């Protein structure tokens, strides 16, 4: 029998299956048997900005349980519509650093994962996405997340 994994999802509605964007979430697509083999809790909300996620951060941290926790974050889907990637990336890095500190001090087993962004039919967003996504792909090697 597979040990229960705790999947904690944070971000905007595109982070959850059938959310406001009508998408299939990354964790459903890429985490093996995510729906069948995880106890899931979602903090994602429609239209969420990084500031909303910062406001929920303590509740997300409180959701860590005994056993394996997978914290999966998709951020920026709304922020990058109007915030330059050069401003958003350092703020997002600070947000992740607070999670990393909380994970270390909690003694819980938590794997922190990120996703890149779905394209939009919006020139400013796609321009910011073209800067942010390559930087996000480097975050695991920089120790900012696990995957």
């Amino acid at each position: 029998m597979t040990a229960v994994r705790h999947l904690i999802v944070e971000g905007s509605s595109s982070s959850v299956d059938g959310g406001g964007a009508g998408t299939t979430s990354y964790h459903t697509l890429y985490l093996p048997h995510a729906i069948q083999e995880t106890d899931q809790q979602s903090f994602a909300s429609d239209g969420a900005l990084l500031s909303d996620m910062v406001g929920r951060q303590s509740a997300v941290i409180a959701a860590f349980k005994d056993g394996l926790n997978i914290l999966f974050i998709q951020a920026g889907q709304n922020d990058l519509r109007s915030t330059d990637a050069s401003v958003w990336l350092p703020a997002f890095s600070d947000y992740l650093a607070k999670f990393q500190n909380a994970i270390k001090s909690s003694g819980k087993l938590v794997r922190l994962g990120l996703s890149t962004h779905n394209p939009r039919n919006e020139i400013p967003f796609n321009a910011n996405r073209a800067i942010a996504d390559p930087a996000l792909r480097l975050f695991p090697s920089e120790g900012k997340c696990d995957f």
Side-chain angles (χ1 to χ4, degrees):
M1 184 168 157
T2 303
V4 174
R5 298 177 295 173
H6 307 286
L7 176 61
I8 303 165
V9 179
E10 175 59 304
S12 68
S13 61
S14 62
S15 303
V16 295
D17 293 334
T23 59
T24 299
S25 66
Y26 282 100
H27 64 270
T28 297
L29 291 173
Y30 299 115
L31 293 178
H33 309 289
I35 294 172
Q36 298 85 357
E37 296 179 4
T38 59
D39 169 37
Q40 297 184 33
Q41 185 170 359
S42 176
F43 290 87
S45 64
D46 193 27
L49 299 169
L50 182 56
S51 58
D52 300 313
M53 294 167 60
V54 167
R56 296 191 292 251
Q57 195 166 27
S58 61
V60 173
I61 292 165
F64 298 163
K65 298 179 180 180
D66 292 333
L68 175 60
N69 296 272
I70 303 165
L71 174 55
F72 192 78
I73 300 173
Q74 182 184 19
Q77 196 68 24
N78 295 306
D79 294 284
L80 294 174
R81 298 174 82 185
S82 60
T83 303
D84 285 345
S86 63
V87 172
W88 181 82
L89 281 164
F92 186 59
S93 291
D94 290 345
Y95 169 77
L96 294 177
K98 289 177 186 167
F99 271 125
Q100 292 288 16
N101 290 336
I103 290 166
K104 287 176 190 165
S105 66
S106 75
K108 304 287 183 183
L109 178 58
V110 181
R111 295 294 175 251
L112 175 56
L114 308 176
S115 69
T116 54
H117 304 95
N118 301 318
R120 291 179 181 249
N121 192 18
E122 299 174 14
I123 292 171
F125 173 82
N126 287 330
N128 284 317
R129 177 181 176 263
I131 296 166
D133 283 2
L136 291 175
R137 288 185 192 101
L138 296 175
F139 278 20
S141 66
E142 296 170 346
K144 295 179 183 180
C145 63
D146 296 304
F147 64 96

